[in-house]
C-alpha cells in the first residue's frame, strides 16, 4: 500500500537536512515562486529572472531586488538613502537587521 505522497517545495528532499531547515526553505521558496506585483504596471506578473533580478511578464519591466523576494527591508532603506534621507539610515538599518536576526532565531 503506497503512502500518501507529500507535496510542497521540499518533496524532493525527503527526510534530509532537518525539519527546521526544510521549513525555512519552504517559506523562502513559496515566497519566491509566488507571482509578485509589478512596480511599473501594477499587475501581479513579476517573476524572478535570476538571483536578485525580477521581471514583469506583462510589461517586461526588469529591476533589481532581493535574492528571494522582490523587495527587502534593507533594500527599502537603501533606496530611501539614495534619494537623500541619510539621517534615519543607521537607526532603521539596525532595527531591520535585529528584526531579521530575531525572525531567524524563532524559526
Ligand atoms: Zn509590469
Amino acid at each position: 500500500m503506497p503512502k500518501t505522497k507529500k507535496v510542497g517545495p521540499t518533496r524532493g528532499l525527503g527526510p534530509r537536512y532537518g525539519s527546521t531547515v526544510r521549513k525555512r526553505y519552504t517559506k523562502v521558496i513559496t515566497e519566491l515562486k509566488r507571482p509578485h506585483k509589478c512596480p511599473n504596471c501594477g499587475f501581479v506578473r513579476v517573476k524572478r529572472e535570476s538571483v536578485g533580478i525580477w521581471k514583469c511578464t506583462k510589461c517586461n519591466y526588469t529591476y533589481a531586488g532581493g535574492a528571494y523576494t522582490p523587495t527587502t527591508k534593507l533594500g527599502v532603506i537603501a533606496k530611501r538613502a539614495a534619494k537623500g534621507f541619510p539621517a534615519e539610515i543607521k537607526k532603521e538599518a539596525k532595527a531591520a537587521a535585529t528584526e531579521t536576526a530575531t525572525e531567524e532565531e524563532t524559526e
Side-chain angles (χ1 to χ4, degrees), residues 49-103:
E49 182 88 351
S50 182
V51 180
I53 301 167
W54 298 83
K55 192 177 183 181
C56 176
T57 55
K58 177 145 176 78
C59 66
N60 280 339
Y61 179 67
T62 313
Y63 62 103
Y68 305 106
T69 50
T71 51
T72 60
K73 283 171 196 166
L74 284 168
V76 171
I77 294 161
K79 202 172 183 180
R80 205 188 299 156
K83 281 181 182 173
F85 301 97
E88 297 170 64
I89 301 174
K90 257 188 179 173
K91 207 173 78 189
E92 281 194 45
K94 205 177 170 187
T98 314
E99 207 175 305
T100 314
T102 317
E103 271 175 31

